[in-house]
Amino acid sequence: MRLLMLNPNTSPSFTNRIQEIARQSVADGTEILALNPITGPRSIESVYDELLSSQGTLEVALANLDACDAICIACYSDHPAVYALREITTKPVLGIAEASMVMACLVGRKFSVVTTNDEWVPLLEEAVKRYGLTERCASIRATGMPVLALESGDEEANFNAILRQAQLALAEDAAEVICLGCAGMSGLDKQLEQVIQAPVLDGVACAVKLLEGLVSCGLSTSKKRTYTQPRLKELVNLPVVFQKPYKK
Amino acid sequence: MRLLMLNPNTSPSFTNRIQEIARQSVADGTEILALNPITGPRSIESVYDELLSSQGTLEVALANLDACDAICIACYSDHPAVYALREITTKPVLGIAEASMVMACLVGRKFSVVTTNDEWVPLLEEAVKRYGLTERCASIRATGMPVLALESGDEEANFNAILRQAQLALAEDAAEVICLGCAGMSGLDKQLEQVIQAPVLDGVACAVKLLEGLVSCGLSTSKKRTYTQPRLKELVNLPVVFQKPYKK
Amino acid sequence: MRLLMLNPNTSPSFTNRIQEIARQSVADGTEILALNPITGPRSIESVYDELLSSQGTLEVALANLDACDAICIACYSDHPAVYALREITTKPVLGIAEASMVMACLVGRKFSVVTTNDEWVPLLEEAVKRYGLTERCASIRATGMPVLALESGDEEANFNAILRQAQLALAEDAAEVICLGCAGMSGLDKQLEQVIQAPVLDGVACAVKLLEGLVSCGLSTSKKRTYTQPRLKELVNLPVVFQKPYKK
Amino acid sequence: MRLLMLNPNTSPSFTNRIQEIARQSVADGTEILALNPITGPRSIESVYDELLSSQGTLEVALANLDACDAICIACYSDHPAVYALREITTKPVLGIAEASMVMACLVGRKFSVVTTNDEWVPLLEEAVKRYGLTERCASIRATGMPVLALESGDEEANFNAILRQAQLALAEDAAEVICLGCAGMSGLDKQLEQVIQAPVLDGVACAVKLLEGLVSCGLSTSKKRTYTQPRLKELVNLPVVFQKPYKK
Amino acid sequence: MRLLMLNPNTSPSFTNRIQEIARQSVADGTEILALNPITGPRSIESVYDELLSSQGTLEVALANLDACDAICIACYSDHPAVYALREITTKPVLGIAEASMVMACLVGRKFSVVTTNDEWVPLLEEAVKRYGLTERCASIRATGMPVLALESGDEEANFNAILRQAQLALAEDAAEVICLGCAGMSGLDKQLEQVIQAPVLDGVACAVKLLEGLVSCGLSTSKKRTYTQPRLKELVNLPVVFQKPYKK
Amino acid sequence: MRLLMLNPNTSPSFTNRIQEIARQSVADGTEILALNPITGPRSIESVYDELLSSQGTLEVALANLDACDAICIACYSDHPAVYALREITTKPVLGIAEASMVMACLVGRKFSVVTTNDEWVPLLEEAVKRYGLTERCASIRATGMPVLALESGDEEANFNAILRQAQLALAEDAAEVICLGCAGMSGLDKQLEQVIQAPVLDGVACAVKLLEGLVSCGLSTSKKRTYTQPRLKELVNLPVVFQKPYKK
C-alpha cells in the first residue's frame, strides 16, 4: 500500500522530516510518498495560513489521488483540507492531530497536547471540540516557540521547553499521556517519554499506523451525509483540475 | 458607517439580492458595499467549495478593508474566511448563519434552521457546535433543493418546500423560531412568518443589525488569543497582497 | 421606536445612569423611557431580592407595555421578570446580562464577566448555563464590592478593583473579551478597554443595540411553546392589573 | 420533626391533597404542616404565575420558619421560592420536582416526567437542566390537560391520559421510571405502577422522605457561595416581615 | 424493614464501623444487617480489586436477598456489584458514593469529595460522570493516605489531612458541600462540619436514609431496559448459587 | 509480535471465530493467541455476566501476560477486565467495542452500533459515554436476537435482522458508519457493506490493527493516575496468582 503524507506548508525540510518519521513507522510493504504544495505559506500558524495553503494542498492531493491508498495531512491542526478531501475521495484521509489524540485515548484516560506558539492553543481546543474529544483532553499547552524555530533553533532549548510543558501537563492538568503538537516535533517522542515516564505520541507515526489499519481493513470514507461528494457546479477562474472531483 | 457584505461565491445575482436585503435593513447613515470574488465556485455547498472560494474572498476583503467598518461573509455556512478575517483585522466580522442563530436565541428558546441541500445538514450541525449553541438548536432541516434552484427554480415550489420544513420543525422538533438557512432565501422571511405564526429570521438582515450594533458600540474583534494577528512568514507563489496582513 | 429600560430595583440614581447610557447608545429615532418600580429592594443581589422586586417590576411593565416597542430589564442578572414578560407580550424582552454575553461572543471566542459581590458568581454561572453559553464563558469574577458601593464609593478604587479582575480573566482564564457585570458599572467600558487592550462590553449599550435590531427587523417573541401566553386563572388578593395578561 | 409543605398556589383543595399524601408518607414522629398563601394565582402554569405567587409564598414561609425543620415547595416546577428560601434559612428546602427526579435516578437509569399542560414541557426541561440531570431524563411529556382539570375533571379520563403518556415514555423515549409531574396527580402513583409495570414516583412522597432523611442526618443548606444569606438593604413599600431575613 | 449493608472488602473491622454508623442513622423499625464476603481483597482501591471482590460480594448478596428489603454496597466507589444486583433483584440497591452525592446536591449547588489515595480520584471522576452529576461536582480531592490507614493510622493526622482537603475544596474549587469519600471515614462528618462550617456528608448515613425512603415509598428497581433480569445461560465451573438469578 | 485475543465467555466456538478473524487481519509477523477462561458464563449479556466472567478472564490474562505484547478483550462490551488489566500491566489493552468505535470516527462523522439483545442498548450507551464519544454516536440499535443465536440460529435471518437495523440507523439516526456490535457478528462486515454502501466495522479486526499500531509505535499504557499499579494488599481465600500484580 502507498500512503501520501501531504505537508500543507511549503517547507521541504519539514516534508523530509515527515517522510523520514513515516518511513520508520511503516509496516512491511507500505510505501511513503511525502509531498508539499508549491504555493502557500512556509508554515501554518493561523486559519489565515490554513486558507492560503489550501488551494495548493488540494492541487497536490488531486494530482496524486490515484497513486495512493490513503492520505495524511501532516500538519498538527484541524486543517480544513482533511474535510475537503474526505468529500472528494473515498480513500481514508487523516490529520496528524486527530491521529495522535485518538491513539492517546487508547493508552490513558486523559491526554495533553504540547504545541509551539500560543496561537495554537485556541485552534487546537477547537479541534478537540470538533473531534468530540473534549472529555478526554486534559489541556493544550504551548512552549511559546514559533514552529520554524523547531528546525532552525537551539535543539536543547526546544527539547527543554517541550519537556517543561509536558511535566506541567502531568502534574497540574491531570494528563496521563502527551501528544507532540507539531509535525516539526516529530522524532522527539521516545526521548521525552524516557524523561517523563509517560507515553508520548508522535502524530506522524500515529497517522501512519491508523491509515495502514484502515486500508488493511478495507475501510473507506463513508459517502453518507457529511462526506458526500460535492455536486457539480461551475468554477470561475480556477485551474481546471479543481473541476474533476464534482459529482457528474 | 459602511458595511462590506461579501458574498463568497461567484454568482453576482446572489450578491445583488444580498445587497438589496441589506439596504432594506440598514439604519440611517449606514452604507452597504456588496461584493463577490472573481474566482471560485458559483455556489458553496461543501468544505471543498469553501476552500476553493477562500482565496478569492480574502482578496476582495483585503482590497476593501480600509473602506469599511465591518465585514459580513454573506454565506449561510461556517465559512472559514470569517475566522481568517477576524485574525487579520480588528473590524467586526460576522457570518450570516451565526448572526441569525444569535438573534433567534433572543426571541425563542430553541431555533431550527431550514436550509437547501441535504449536504448542508451536517455542515450546519458542526457550525452550531462551534458557536456553542447546541442546546439552543432544535434541528437543522433541508428542503433537498440545491442552492442555485433558489434563483432559477419555481418560486412557489421553493416557498412550499421551505414552509413544509419550517412546519415540521415547529411540530416535531420543538422549535420556536425559524432561521432561513441560505443567503438565497433572503426576503422570504415575512411571508413565511405570516403562515407559520412564529418568528422567521433572515441572516442578512440579522448580520446588518448586529454589525451596526457592534460598530455603534465601538467594539472591535479581540486580539487576545484566538484572533491574534498571524505572525510574519514567507509566502511562496502567492499574490503579494496576501503578505500585508502579517504582523511586522 | 421607543425602548423601555426597566431597572427592577428601587434606586432612581441607577435608573438615571441607565437612561443616560442608553441615550448615548441609541440610533436616530430611538426614544428611551427609563423607569423603576416604586416597591422593592434598593438593589438586587440574590434570588430573594429578585422575587421581592418582581411584582413591582411587572406592574411598571404592564403599565407601559403599549407605550414601548421593546423592553430591557436593566439588571445584570438572569432576572425572572424577563421570562414572565416574554410570556405576556410579543414585544422583544432582553436582560442586560444576556445582551452583553451574546455581543461578546461576536468579538471573541471566550468572554469573562467582572461583577461586584461574590454572591453574584454562582447566580451568573447559572445564567450562563441557562443561556446555553457555558462553552463560551471563560469565567465569572467578582470584585467583592457590593453593588451600592458603585455609586457611593471611591471611584478610583472601584475602577481598580474591576481592572484587576479583568486582567486576571485575560491572563489566567483565557478570556478574550470582558463583560461589565453590573448595571452600576455602565460607562466604564471605554476607560477599561484602553487599559486592558481587549473589548469591554456594557450590558445597557448592548441591550439597546440588540433591541433596536430586533424591532427594526420586525421580530417579536415567539409564542410557540416556551413563551406561550399564560392561560386564564383567578388571582386572589392581587391588584387587578395582573389579570390583564392572561389568555382570554 | 415537623415539615412545612408549602403549596405556592391559592387552591386549598390542592393543599389538602398534598397534606393527605404527605401524612401517608411520613415516618413515625414526623408532623406535616400544609399551607398555602392567601394571595396569588389559583394555579401555577407559567413563570408569570410563579412570580405572582412568590411574595405570598415567601410570606407564609417566613411566618412559619421557626416552627418547622424543613420546607417543601409543593409545586411541580422549578419554583424560584426554593432558591430564595435556601438563601434565607439553613433549614433544608426542596421542591417536589427535584425530589422525584432525584429519587427516580436511584431506581432506573432514565426517567420521564408526565405532566399536565404543554406549557410545562419547556419549563420542566429547564428545571432538569438546572438540576444537572439532563443525561438522566428521557423526556418530559404532557397530557395537554390543564392543572385544575385534575380536581374538577373526569377522573378516569385524567388517569388514561397520564397512562398513555407514561406508556409512550417507556416505549419510545427509553424511560425506565415515571415521575408524576404535578402536585395534583399525587396519589395516582401506585395505580399507574400496576398498569405500566415500572416505578412511578409521587413528588410529594419523595420530598417527604428526602427531607426526613436530611433532617435526620442533621444536614442543613450550605451557606457557602450559592445560598449565602442576602446582605442587608432597604426595602421600599414592602411589608416589614421581608426585612427580617437579611444579614445584620 | 431490614437493610443489608454489604461491605465488599474482607475487613470485618470496616463492616463493624459501617454497621455502627448505619444503626445510628436508622428510623424506628429499621434493622441493619452488615456483612462482608469471605473471599476477596482486604480493601478496594482499583478496578482490579473491585473485580476480585465481586464474586464473593454477589455470593453474600444472593444468600441474603430474601432476608432484606434493600441493599447498600458500602464501598465509596462505583462498585460494579451495584449494577449486577440491580439486574438480579427488584429491591432497591445503592452505593454509598452515589448516595452521598445525591444528598449533597440537595443542600448545595456544588459538592466536592474528599477521599483517601490518589488512585481514587480518576475512579470517582468516572463515577460522577456515570451518575450524570458532572455539573454538580466541584472536585474530587485525595488526602494521599491509603484506605487502611484510616483504621490503623494516627487519628488526628487523618482528620487533619481530610480537613485540609475539605478547606481547599471550599476555597479553591467552589465547593459548597463536602462528601466523605471512603466508608472508613464514616463518623467524622459532624466533627468536620463544625470546623469548616459547611455540610459534610457521610455516605453510609445517606444511603440508609435514601434506602429507607425508597422502601417506605414502595419503590423498586425498574426492570425496563437497563436493569432487566439477565437471560438464562449455562455457567461453567461456578458455584451453583450463581445460576439462580437468571430468567427462567 | 503476539496479540492475546481473550474471549471472556466460555464458548470455545466464539473463541475460534475470533481467532480466525484476527488471523485474517494481522500484518506479517503478528501472531494471534486466542483463549477463553475455563470458568464463567457461556455468553455475556449483563453486568452480572461480566462480573461472573471476570475472575476467570483475569486468570487467563495473568497466565499469558509475559507471552504477549498486547491484549484484546474480545467481547463487544465495556468489559471491566479492560480497566483491571490496564492497571496491572503496561502492555496495551483494548476491547473490541472501543476499537470499532474509534476506527469508525475516522471514516465518518457519526457511527451507529448494531448489536444483538435489547439489553445491550443501555450497556453500550454507557460504554459510549465512558469513552467520551457521545457526540460521535448516532445510535445503538439491537436486532433483538440473543448472542448465542448468532452461532446456532438461521444465518440468513440473522443477517437480515442486522441489515434491517443498519439501514434504519443510516436512514433515521443520521449514522454514516456501522459498527457490528457483537464478537459473534465477526465476518459479516464486508457482506453488509456491499448492501448498505457504507463502511461496516468489525471490532476484532479493528482491535488487531489498533493494537499492532500501538505496539509498533512502542506505546504502552500510561501508569500516571488512572491506570496506576494497584497497591499491595492481602487477598483472602483467592488463588495466589491474583497476588502477583500488586505493587511490591
Side-chain angles (χ1 to χ4, degrees), chain C:
Chain C
M1 100 183 57
R2 185 187 285 154
L3 307 181
L4 172 57
M5 306 301 292
L6 182 34
N7 170 19
N9 72 39
T10 48
S11 289
S13 62
F14 266 65
T15 313
N16 290 341
R17 194 166 187 171
I18 288 159
Q19 176 172 270
E20 193 185 328
I21 302 294
R23 289 199 173 145
Q24 286 164 18
S25 310
V26 293
D28 281 1
T30 303
E31 280 175 63
I32 293 297
L33 179 65
L35 296 171
N36 60 250
I38 55 170
T39 70
R42 278 284 184 229
S43 64
I44 295 179
E45 297 161 302
S46 64
V47 177
Y48 182 70
D49 294 339
E50 283 179 353
L51 293 188
L52 293 185
S53 74
S54 290
Q55 206 165 300
T57 298
L58 290 175
E59 211 158 357
V60 179
L62 285 168
N64 292 277
L65 255 186
D66 293 343
C68 68
D69 297 290
I71 302 176
C72 171
I73 298 297
C75 171
Y76 208 93
S77 72
D78 189 33
H79 200 290
V82 170
Y83 302 99
L85 288 171
R86 283 178 180 166
E87 290 169 353
I88 63 176
T89 175
T90 57
K91 297 182 179 174
V93 182
L94 190 56
I96 60 175
E98 189 171 7
S100 71
M101 292 179 195
V102 154
M103 288 291 251
C105 289
L106 304 182
V107 291
R109 197 171 66 102
K110 299 232 177 197
F111 65 85
S112 283
V113 178
V114 177
T115 182
T116 52
N117 307 336
D118 293 336
E119 295 95 292
W120 274 111
V121 177
L123 288 171
L124 288 175
E125 284 171 357
E126 284 297 315
V128 166
K129 182 172 146 186
R130 179 155 192 170
Y131 304 149
L133 294 175
T134 303
E135 284 180 50
R136 306 296 295 272
C137 177
S139 62
I140 310 289
R141 285 181 165 269
T143 61
M145 291 171 150
V147 172
L148 293 174
L150 285 172
E151 47 171 14
S152 61
D154 172 346
E155 238 176 74
E156 197 183 326
N158 273 333
F159 181 80
N160 286 338
I162 295 167
L163 171 62
R164 172 87 183 123
Q165 294 304 318
Q167 286 170 329
L168 287 170
L170 296 177
E172 297 187 359
D173 308 335
E176 306 177 355
V177 184
I178 300 298
C179 294
L180 291 178
C182 179
M185 291 176 182
S186 272
L188 299 180
D189 51 340
K190 292 303 162 198
Q191 189 184 348
L192 187 60
E193 203 166 280
Q194 220 151 10
V195 185
I196 65 169
Q197 291 292 301
V200 177
L201 284 83
D202 178 291
V204 172
C206 291
V208 165
K209 300 322 287 182
L210 288 170
L211 289 173
E212 283 183 342
L214 291 169
V215 172
S216 148
C217 289
L219 290 166
S220 54
T221 301
S222 176
K223 291 286 117 182
K224 303 286 178 192
R225 298 176 53 94
T226 304
Y227 303 122
T228 194
Q229 193 185 357
R231 64 182 69 207
L232 185 64
K233 64 201 45 148
E234 190 191 349
L235 294 180
V236 181
N237 294 324
L238 283 179
V240 72
V241 62
F242 291 120
Q243 193 70 49
K244 203 175 71 176
Y246 287 114
K247 214 180 280 175
K248 288 308 158 305

Side-chain angles (χ1 to χ4, degrees), chain F residues 13-29:
Chain F
S13 61
F14 265 65
T15 313
N16 290 341
R17 196 166 185 170
I18 288 160
Q19 177 172 272
E20 197 185 324
I21 302 294
R23 287 199 175 146
Q24 287 164 18
S25 310
V26 292
D28 283 358

